[in-house]
Amino acid sequence: MDHSAVASLPHTRLLDALDSRARDVLAHASSALHVRQNEIVIEAGQSVDCLYVVESGLLHAEVPGQDGELLAVAHFGAGDFFGELSFLRSDVAAATVRASTDATLIAIPHRTLGKVAERHPAVMRELAIVVARRLNSTNAQLRRLRVGRAVGCLLGETPAADAVFQAVCRSVVQHLEGPMVVIDLDGSIRMPDAHHFASLDESLLDRAHLPEHDAFTADRRSEVAIVAKHEAGPIDEAALAGLISDYTERYELVLVVAKVTSPQLLDLLDCTDERVYFRDANGQSDPAPDMAGGFDTIAIVHTPLPRLNHKSDFAPIHTVVIDPGADVRGTSTGGASQSVGWVARHLLRRKVGLALGAGGSKGYAHVGVVEGLHSAGIPIDYIAGSSVGAPIAWAVAGGMTTQNIHDVLHDTFRRALRPGFPLKGLLTTHWVRKDLERFVKDTGFGSLSIPLAIVAVDLARREEVVFTSGDLVTAMLASTAIPGLFPPVRWRGRMLVDGGLLNPIPSSVVHDLGADIVIGVKLTNPIETDLRPETRHTFLPPAPPIIDTIQAAIETLQWKIVHDGGAHSDVTIEPVFHEPTGLHDYTRGDHFVAAGRDAVAAAARELKALLPWAKL
């Protein structure tokens, strides 16, 4: 960690609350710190004597997860600060702060800051606002990952409904690589391979059986535990709620199950926040219409329908409709029986979304990332693409093999770089459109095996446009229309261009599709663009090709957006490119594919922390 003197303080909302004299006092006492990627600035449990203001770069705060893996719970970009809790509470650091990239910080001693804050209450107000905002954000992230989610499951009166429910339970424990518990309110679940504990009647009366659950969860066995009701009679709702609370302290997922005709049904509804109804598609009616909540449909067919946004004062009941021809024997996290795995991830709130970003010819690295995720057994439940990521996202969503994607990408790049008439762009999209129409044929967004979003930008309104329906070819041409190189795409009175201008990594878009865990692929990095000259003259300095000049300017903008924290993912996959690249470097596609695969391996620790089943 390199130190140097501070000439003046940067302009941030916190520091701009001071007058010039106070800023001079802080600047005189402060120092600039230059930290390298992965370097620790603050370590958890250690005393902190400075407030750190980020001048450039990106850092993150990390805490240990359940399995000892480190989880990033906050990110800090230019203008942000950290170390404020130690200042306000005179306490040791609760989290470790590590540099995500090379960064420059301003270290302001707590002692000096305290003296200045006495005369400037606005400083304390700003600190309090930021602390409250961060605590809310951090708590929300930890709640999403913590042990203790209880879901009510209503089972239809058919063998198929019971079979699908059991298949989902087996898939859940495979995803967790650990146990879960089912509270059977009717005593109707017949699951020979499950671990059966003391009856629900006994467990409600006496909590002496909890140590057995502690031992069971400590073994981390991938098994389903069942606590079933054996005796007739009503259930004490308060006692059931208390038992569910005890179990949520020990298990990551608790499923409370009742038949749809059960007298215990209201107990299930009152004690759980979310409900899922497993029913047969053969004409079986829905639950009674006076139940709280509406109905969304998750179909157990080859491809589950994406969850619809439901607006209601009550928590919705999600309905799993079992197709009579569905194969529910498979319980794997990917491959066969994908729909069962999708429902399991839905219950765990771990549906996976992939955001493929901008990067020109480096887009081949996306292919390597997809290969790496497939090899690790990480399914892609939702996908979004921006710029070069758009056609690759479409190909993945359509089920194309990575080798085919590589070949199509190579042919498209070669044809796309043909010069056009310089009225709207230097290059023509004529041949690209022909290729896309040939590949897409009559398919649309709704026929893809993975829900897809494609991002473009309205040049006049300066706003993002997200395609989730409509014409696929138009969406992809718009998302890849690099200004100055390719002509804008006219669509409904709008002029659309490259989606990477505003959203280089469409993490927010794939999250809005329904993903719980978002993996973003970052192709924008500090490596310079290759500006090799086309011709050399003895009487003039070499001039870079105009195509790569435009691309370099746009990549600079995209890198700035990402660098300043404009695109946050739960896990960021960042391929490393060791040499300058330009649009014409598509011939190095194999090298970029390998960089994508390596980047997945480099992110193994973060992926494993969020997706326990990943084979990394």
Side-chain angles (χ1 to χ4, degrees):
M1 197 179 296
D2 302 324
H3 296 254
S4 61
V6 173
S8 62
L9 296 178
H11 286 283
T12 70
R13 181 168 174 172
L14 171 68
L15 299 177
D16 286 349
L18 305 172
D19 58 29
S20 58
R21 182 177 177 182
R23 287 176 63 90
D24 290 342
V25 169
L26 286 185
H28 181 74
S30 302
S31 60
L33 275 67
H34 305 284
V35 297
R36 296 173 180 83
Q37 186 177 10
N38 290 326
E39 193 169 358
I40 292 177
V41 180
I42 293 177
E43 190 156 6
Q46 302 295 317
S47 59
V48 181
D49 56 6
C50 288
L51 178 81
Y52 296 94
V53 179
V54 182
E55 190 168 33
S56 66
L58 189 65
L59 302 95
H60 64 270
E62 57 189 30
V63 298
Q66 299 170 25
D67 301 323
E69 301 288 351
L70 296 175
L71 306 177
V73 294
H75 298 270
F76 310 111
D80 293 333
F81 57 84
F82 55 90
E84 74 286 342
L85 275 178
S86 298
F87 168 68
L88 294 172
R89 298 169 50 190
S90 300
D91 201 356
V92 298
T96 294
V97 178
R98 187 187 302 271
S100 306
T101 66
D102 290 352
T104 299
L105 314 175
I106 305 298
I108 303 174
H110 283 171
R111 181 180 300 178
T112 307
L113 181 64
K115 292 179 180 179
V116 170
E118 290 176 1
R119 295 191 298 107
H120 294 272
V123 171
M124 300 302 292
R125 285 198 301 271
E126 180 64 21
L127 286 172
I129 291 170
V130 171
V131 167
R133 187 184 303 127
R134 286 182 184 164
L135 286 176
N136 286 337
S137 175
T138 300
N139 288 340
Q141 291 189 57
L142 292 176
R143 279 197 302 271
R144 188 179 68 184
L145 299 172
R146 79 181 193 279
V147 171
R149 184 154 192 264
V151 178
C153 295
L154 292 69
L155 297 189
E157 295 282 354
T158 63
D162 197 62
V164 170
F165 172 75
Q166 293 193 31
V168 167
C169 287
R170 295 185 182 99
S171 185
V172 164
V173 296
Q174 287 191 0
H175 279 81
L176 286 175
E177 292 197 338
M180 61 162 284
V181 64
V182 172
I183 299 177
D184 182 1
L185 300 183
D186 298 314
S188 60
I189 302 297
R190 301 291 179 263
M191 205 171 189
D193 53 342
H195 186 97
H196 292 265
F197 279 93
S199 72
L200 178 60
D201 314 276
E202 296 172 300
S203 299
L204 290 171
L205 292 173
D206 187 357
R207 303 300 167 83
H209 300 289
L210 289 177
E212 297 178 30
H213 289 274
D214 291 329
F216 184 71
T217 55
D219 287 344
R220 296 295 301 167
R221 289 181 289 178
S222 297
E223 292 185 43
V224 179
I226 294 183
V227 177
K229 181 173 176 58
H230 291 164
E231 299 178 9
I235 294 176
D236 185 315
E237 185 180 321
L240 178 62
L243 186 65
I244 292 172
S245 179
D246 287 335
Y247 288 163
T248 55
E249 293 178 4
R250 292 161 171 81
Y251 295 92
E252 190 155 348
L253 183 65
V254 179
L255 298 184
V256 187
V257 186
K259 292 289 185 181
V260 71
T261 55
S262 170
Q264 316 298 341
L265 190 58
L266 291 180
D267 295 323
L268 178 149
L269 293 173
D270 290 338
C271 293
T272 55
D273 295 324
E274 182 184 355
R275 302 100 192 208
V276 177
Y277 176 35
F278 293 80
R279 62 176 283 258
D280 200 314
N282 289 327
Q284 186 175 349
S285 61
D286 286 328
D290 58 345
M291 281 186 177
F295 298 89
D296 292 340
T297 298
I298 307 169
I300 295 288
V301 291
H302 178 66
T303 304
L305 301 175
R307 175 169 53 85
L308 303 173
N309 290 327
H310 185 88
K311 300 182 183 299
S312 172
D313 294 333
F314 304 100
I317 299 176
H318 302 291
T319 306
V320 179
V321 181
I322 302 106
D323 179 54
D327 178 10
V328 299
R329 294 169 296 174
T331 58
S332 63
T333 54
S337 196
Q338 295 178 20
S339 298
V340 168
W342 190 94
V343 176
R345 291 188 293 279
H346 173 76
L347 293 176
L348 291 168
R349 287 187 180 173
R350 293 193 181 180
K351 299 188 298 295
V352 180
L354 182 62
L356 302 183
S361 62
K362 296 190 292 289
Y364 283 89
H366 288 320
V367 180
V369 169
V370 173
E371 286 183 357
L373 295 177
H374 284 169
S375 297
I378 299 175
I380 300 169
D381 298 309
Y382 301 93
I383 192 165
S386 187
S387 193
V388 71
I392 301 173
W394 158 75
V396 173
M400 192 178 291
T401 66
T402 52
Q403 182 58 54
N404 283 343
I405 297 173
H406 180 286
D407 295 341
V408 169
L409 199 60
H410 187 82
D411 289 343
T412 303
F413 259 111
R414 179 173 53 83
R415 292 162 72 88
L417 294 176
R418 293 181 177 182
F421 295 103
L423 298 176
K424 298 180 180 179
L426 293 173
L427 304 174
T428 177
T429 57
H430 173 77
W431 297 109
V432 176
R433 177 181 286 276
K434 291 294 184 182
D435 282 344
L436 290 176
E437 289 174 346
R438 179 162 50 90
F439 293 129
V440 171
K441 296 180 181 177
D442 297 327
T443 60
F445 281 89
S447 62
L448 300 173
S449 59
I450 300 173
L452 167 70
I454 291 176
V455 182
V457 168
D458 184 324
L459 199 56
R461 300 181 188 178
R462 301 175 185 176
E463 65 184 16
E464 182 179 279
V465 176
V466 179
F467 289 89
T468 56
S469 62
D471 183 60
L472 278 165
V473 173
T474 298
M476 287 188 279
L477 286 175
S479 186
T480 55
I482 301 173
L485 295 185
F486 297 104
V489 173
R490 290 186 177 275
W491 178 76
R492 296 183 180 178
R494 297 187 175 203
M495 298 290 282
L496 304 184
V497 295
D498 193 330
L501 288 179
L502 292 181
N503 203 342
I505 308 176
S507 304
S508 58
V509 174
V510 79
H511 181 270
D512 290 343
L513 281 177
D516 303 302
I517 304 296
V518 177
I519 301 171
V521 185
K522 176 184 175 185
L523 302 184
T524 55
N525 59 29
I527 293 295
E528 63 188 43
T529 300
D530 190 359
L531 299 179
R532 293 167 294 183
E534 288 184 325
T535 60
R536 292 180 180 272
H537 301 280
T538 56
F539 55 89
L540 288 176
I546 190 170
I547 291 175
D548 286 336
T549 302
I550 294 173
Q551 178 67 14
I554 291 174
E555 284 199 359
T556 300
L557 171 65
Q558 294 167 346
W559 180 82
K560 180 65 175 174
I561 293 172
V562 176
H563 181 72
D564 288 348
H568 289 314
S569 307
D570 295 291
V571 178
T572 299
I573 307 286
E574 187 170 2
V576 176
F577 306 101
H578 298 286
E579 299 176 8
T581 60
L583 273 178
H584 288 88
D585 284 318
Y586 66 88
T587 54
R588 298 165 59 198
D590 290 341
H591 168 75
F592 297 149
V593 170
R597 285 194 299 264
D598 293 342
V600 173
R605 187 175 67 175
E606 294 176 87
L607 289 168
K608 188 73 174 176
L610 294 173
L611 310 172
W613 69 89
K615 306 302 179 186
L616 293 163

Short mmCIF file of all heavy atoms in Angstrom, two decimals, residues 96-118:
data_model
loop_
_atom_site.label_atom_id
_atom_site.label_comp_id
_atom_site.label_asym_id
_atom_site.label_seq_id
_atom_site.Cartn_x
_atom_site.Cartn_y
_atom_site.Cartn_z
N THR A 96 -14.21 -7.01 6.31
CA THR A 96 -12.95 -6.76 5.62
C THR A 96 -13.24 -5.99 4.34
O THR A 96 -14.16 -6.33 3.61
CB THR A 96 -12.25 -8.08 5.29
OG1 THR A 96 -11.88 -8.72 6.51
CG2 THR A 96 -10.99 -7.85 4.45
N VAL A 97 -12.45 -4.95 4.09
CA VAL A 97 -12.60 -4.18 2.85
C VAL A 97 -11.38 -4.48 1.97
O VAL A 97 -10.24 -4.31 2.39
CB VAL A 97 -12.70 -2.67 3.11
CG1 VAL A 97 -12.79 -1.91 1.79
CG2 VAL A 97 -13.92 -2.37 3.98
N ARG A 98 -11.67 -4.96 0.75
CA ARG A 98 -10.62 -5.38 -0.17
C ARG A 98 -10.78 -4.66 -1.50
O ARG A 98 -11.89 -4.34 -1.93
CB ARG A 98 -10.71 -6.90 -0.39
CG ARG A 98 -9.57 -7.52 -1.19
CD ARG A 98 -9.87 -8.99 -1.48
NE ARG A 98 -10.08 -9.77 -0.29
CZ ARG A 98 -9.12 -10.39 0.38
NH1 ARG A 98 -7.86 -10.31 -0.05
NH2 ARG A 98 -9.40 -11.10 1.45
N ALA A 99 -9.66 -4.38 -2.16
CA ALA A 99 -9.68 -3.70 -3.45
C ALA A 99 -10.10 -4.68 -4.55
O ALA A 99 -9.45 -5.71 -4.76
CB ALA A 99 -8.32 -3.10 -3.76
N SER A 100 -11.19 -4.37 -5.27
CA SER A 100 -11.61 -5.17 -6.40
C SER A 100 -10.75 -4.87 -7.62
O SER A 100 -10.56 -5.73 -8.48
CB SER A 100 -13.08 -4.90 -6.73
OG SER A 100 -13.90 -5.08 -5.60
N THR A 101 -10.28 -3.63 -7.71
CA THR A 101 -9.36 -3.20 -8.77
C THR A 101 -8.28 -2.34 -8.12
O THR A 101 -8.35 -2.03 -6.92
CB THR A 101 -10.09 -2.35 -9.84
OG1 THR A 101 -10.52 -1.11 -9.23
CG2 THR A 101 -11.30 -3.08 -10.40
N ASP A 102 -7.27 -1.97 -8.88
CA ASP A 102 -6.34 -0.97 -8.37
C ASP A 102 -7.14 0.29 -8.03
O ASP A 102 -8.07 0.67 -8.76
CB ASP A 102 -5.27 -0.63 -9.42
CG ASP A 102 -4.30 -1.79 -9.65
OD1 ASP A 102 -4.37 -2.77 -8.88
OD2 ASP A 102 -3.48 -1.70 -10.58
N ALA A 103 -6.80 0.93 -6.91
CA ALA A 103 -7.61 2.05 -6.45
C ALA A 103 -6.74 3.10 -5.75
O ALA A 103 -5.65 2.79 -5.26
CB ALA A 103 -8.71 1.57 -5.51
N THR A 104 -7.25 4.31 -5.73
CA THR A 104 -6.62 5.40 -4.98
C THR A 104 -7.62 5.89 -3.94
O THR A 104 -8.78 6.19 -4.27
CB THR A 104 -6.22 6.56 -5.90
OG1 THR A 104 -5.28 6.09 -6.87
CG2 THR A 104 -5.60 7.69 -5.11
N LEU A 105 -7.17 5.98 -2.69
CA LEU A 105 -8.03 6.37 -1.57
C LEU A 105 -7.45 7.60 -0.88
O LEU A 105 -6.23 7.83 -0.91
CB LEU A 105 -8.15 5.24 -0.55
CG LEU A 105 -8.43 3.83 -1.06
CD1 LEU A 105 -8.38 2.84 0.09
CD2 LEU A 105 -9.79 3.79 -1.72
N ILE A 106 -8.32 8.35 -0.24
CA ILE A 106 -7.90 9.43 0.65
C ILE A 106 -8.19 8.98 2.07
O ILE A 106 -9.35 8.68 2.41
CB ILE A 106 -8.65 10.75 0.34
CG1 ILE A 106 -8.48 11.13 -1.13
CG2 ILE A 106 -8.15 11.86 1.26
CD1 ILE A 106 -7.06 11.38 -1.56
N ALA A 107 -7.15 8.89 2.91
CA ALA A 107 -7.30 8.45 4.29
C ALA A 107 -7.38 9.67 5.20
O ALA A 107 -6.41 10.43 5.33
CB ALA A 107 -6.13 7.56 4.69
N ILE A 108 -8.55 9.86 5.83
CA ILE A 108 -8.76 11.00 6.72
C ILE A 108 -8.76 10.49 8.15
O ILE A 108 -9.62 9.68 8.53
CB ILE A 108 -10.10 11.69 6.41
CG1 ILE A 108 -10.16 12.13 4.94
CG2 ILE A 108 -10.33 12.87 7.34
CD1 ILE A 108 -11.50 12.69 4.52
N PRO A 109 -7.81 10.90 9.00
CA PRO A 109 -7.76 10.41 10.38
C PRO A 109 -9.06 10.69 11.13
O PRO A 109 -9.64 11.78 11.01
CB PRO A 109 -6.59 11.19 10.99
CG PRO A 109 -5.75 11.60 9.83
CD PRO A 109 -6.72 11.85 8.71
N HIS A 110 -9.54 9.71 11.89
CA HIS A 110 -10.76 9.88 12.67
C HIS A 110 -10.65 11.06 13.62
O HIS A 110 -11.63 11.81 13.81
CB HIS A 110 -11.05 8.60 13.46
CG HIS A 110 -11.63 7.51 12.62
ND1 HIS A 110 -11.80 6.22 13.11
CD2 HIS A 110 -12.08 7.48 11.35
CE1 HIS A 110 -12.33 5.46 12.17
NE2 HIS A 110 -12.51 6.22 11.08
N ARG A 111 -9.47 11.25 14.22
CA ARG A 111 -9.31 12.32 15.20
C ARG A 111 -9.55 13.69 14.56
O ARG A 111 -10.29 14.52 15.09
CB ARG A 111 -7.91 12.27 15.81
CG ARG A 111 -7.65 13.34 16.86
CD ARG A 111 -6.26 13.22 17.42
NE ARG A 111 -6.06 11.91 18.05
CZ ARG A 111 -4.90 11.52 18.59
NH1 ARG A 111 -3.83 12.33 18.54
NH2 ARG A 111 -4.79 10.34 19.15
N THR A 112 -8.97 13.90 13.39
CA THR A 112 -9.16 15.18 12.70
C THR A 112 -10.59 15.34 12.22
O THR A 112 -11.18 16.42 12.32
CB THR A 112 -8.20 15.27 11.49
OG1 THR A 112 -6.86 15.02 11.93
CG2 THR A 112 -8.27 16.64 10.84
N LEU A 113 -11.19 14.25 11.69
CA LEU A 113 -12.56 14.31 11.22
C LEU A 113 -13.51 14.66 12.35
O LEU A 113 -14.46 15.44 12.18
CB LEU A 113 -12.96 12.97 10.59
CG LEU A 113 -14.38 12.89 10.02
CD1 LEU A 113 -14.55 13.86 8.85
CD2 LEU A 113 -14.69 11.46 9.57
N GLY A 114 -13.27 14.12 13.56
CA GLY A 114 -14.12 14.41 14.71
C GLY A 114 -14.10 15.88 15.09
O GLY A 114 -15.14 16.47 15.40
N LYS A 115 -12.91 16.48 15.04
CA LYS A 115 -12.81 17.91 15.37
C LYS A 115 -13.54 18.77 14.34
O LYS A 115 -14.25 19.72 14.69
CB LYS A 115 -11.34 18.32 15.44
CG LYS A 115 -10.59 17.69 16.61
CD LYS A 115 -9.12 18.12 16.61
CE LYS A 115 -8.37 17.48 17.77
NZ LYS A 115 -6.92 17.86 17.77
N VAL A 116 -13.40 18.41 13.07
CA VAL A 116 -14.08 19.17 12.02
C VAL A 116 -15.60 18.99 12.12
O VAL A 116 -16.37 19.94 11.94
CB VAL A 116 -13.57 18.73 10.63
CG1 VAL A 116 -14.44 19.32 9.52
CG2 VAL A 116 -12.12 19.15 10.45
N ALA A 117 -16.04 17.76 12.45
CA ALA A 117 -17.48 17.49 12.51
C ALA A 117 -18.16 18.25 13.64
O ALA A 117 -19.37 18.52 13.56
CB ALA A 117 -17.71 15.99 12.69
N GLU A 118 -17.41 18.62 14.67
CA GLU A 118 -18.00 19.40 15.76
C GLU A 118 -18.51 20.74 15.27
O GLU A 118 -19.51 21.26 15.77
CB GLU A 118 -16.96 19.60 16.87
CG GLU A 118 -16.62 18.33 17.63
CD GLU A 118 -15.52 18.56 18.65
OE1 GLU A 118 -15.04 19.73 18.76
OE2 GLU A 118 -15.14 17.61 19.36
#
